[in-house]
Amino acid sequence: MIDIKILPRPEGLARDLLKDKEAARKAIKATVGDLRSRGPAQVSKAVRGVYAIKAADINPNQGGRRLAGGMHVQARGESVDDFTLVYTGSPMTPTHFGMKPGAPPGGKRYTIKATIRKGARKTIGHWAPKGRDHGRYARPSDSPFFLVSGNGGSTLPMQRHGGKLKAFRTVSVPQMVGNDEVAEEAMSGLSELAQKRLEHHLRRYMK
């Protein structure tokens, strides 16, 4: 969840808000509309500054496509000062974080890697043909995930767990948004956006 905290208003802007109440009301309403439409892009930018995820996977304004992890963002609040963006969603698979290889390489030994946080390439799992490195899994033994192709052409790293296959999951969008570094950057961007749009609409309605 991201709350908007407006940066200290310039003295001139504060005077304008008090000068014409009707103009101020219209300006605030229009500013909230701008935050609803433009705010998620600011949060997306902050997330992508820390995590290696594509804008199209987490920005609702990217062509109406299905977002990663079933992500949904809801805008709440009727004024600038109580405006809030609430994010929901499930942990995502590493396919959204540059996972390689993207498919099982024909029975050859492979290591699955992905970059979740920028600059930090991580090993997810290893696989080797039977008879090598103590059986189906290559070392280390604590990374038993291997690639499995599913319906629709998707390939996920899976682990056998209790007789069933269980997919490897990473972080969700709410977790990324809640990261201290991301939240601070998103708050700053949203506050700056709110202030600029409020100034714009005040000039517009006070003419």
Side-chain angles (χ1 to χ4, degrees), residues 46-183:
V47 168
R48 289 181 286 113
V50 176
Y51 293 91
I53 189 168
K54 296 177 181 178
D57 282 344
I58 60 172
N59 191 345
N61 297 325
Q62 294 289 314
R65 59 174 285 179
R66 182 178 179 183
L67 300 175
M71 190 210 90
H72 179 71
V73 57
Q74 181 182 14
R76 297 177 181 174
E78 298 300 325
S79 71
V80 175
D81 291 322
D82 68 0
F83 183 82
T84 302
L85 291 174
V86 180
Y87 284 80
T88 57
S90 303
M92 293 175 285
T93 63
T95 55
H96 300 286
F97 297 96
M99 184 187 78
K100 297 292 183 180
K108 298 178 181 179
R109 179 174 178 159
Y110 58 83
T111 298
I112 311 167
K113 294 185 177 182
T115 304
I116 299 171
R117 288 181 67 100
K118 282 190 170 180
R121 193 75 174 161
K122 297 293 184 181
T123 296
I124 295 170
H126 304 259
W127 183 89
K130 291 182 179 180
R132 298 185 185 180
D133 294 324
H134 306 289
R136 186 176 182 84
Y137 304 111
R139 289 198 279 279
S141 59
D142 60 350
S143 299
F145 292 94
F146 57 98
L147 295 173
V148 176
S149 297
N151 295 329
S154 62
T155 298
L156 299 177
M158 309 286 282
Q159 177 187 18
R160 285 188 174 83
H161 186 77
K164 297 181 179 180
L165 288 176
K166 184 178 181 180
F168 180 87
R169 300 281 177 177
T170 60
V171 294
S172 65
V173 172
Q175 286 175 311
M176 291 189 286
V177 171
N179 173 278
D180 289 342
E181 186 178 352
V182 172

Side-chain angles (χ1 to χ4, degrees), residues 3 11 29 34 81 85 109 120 128 153 163 188:
D3 294 312
E11 184 178 343
K29 182 178 180 180
D34 288 340
D81 291 322
L85 291 174
R109 179 174 178 159
S188 175

Side-chain angles (χ1 to χ4, degrees), residues 2-9 17 28-29 31-32 35 76-84 187 191 194-195 198:
I2 293 290
D3 294 312
I4 301 298
K5 302 298 180 186
I6 300 301
L7 298 173
R9 296 189 181 103
L17 285 169
I28 289 172
K29 182 178 180 180
T31 300
V32 171
L35 287 172
R76 297 177 181 174
E78 298 300 325
S79 71
V80 175
D81 291 322
D82 68 0
F83 183 82
T84 302
M187 195 85 69
S191 294
Q195 187 166 295
L198 185 57

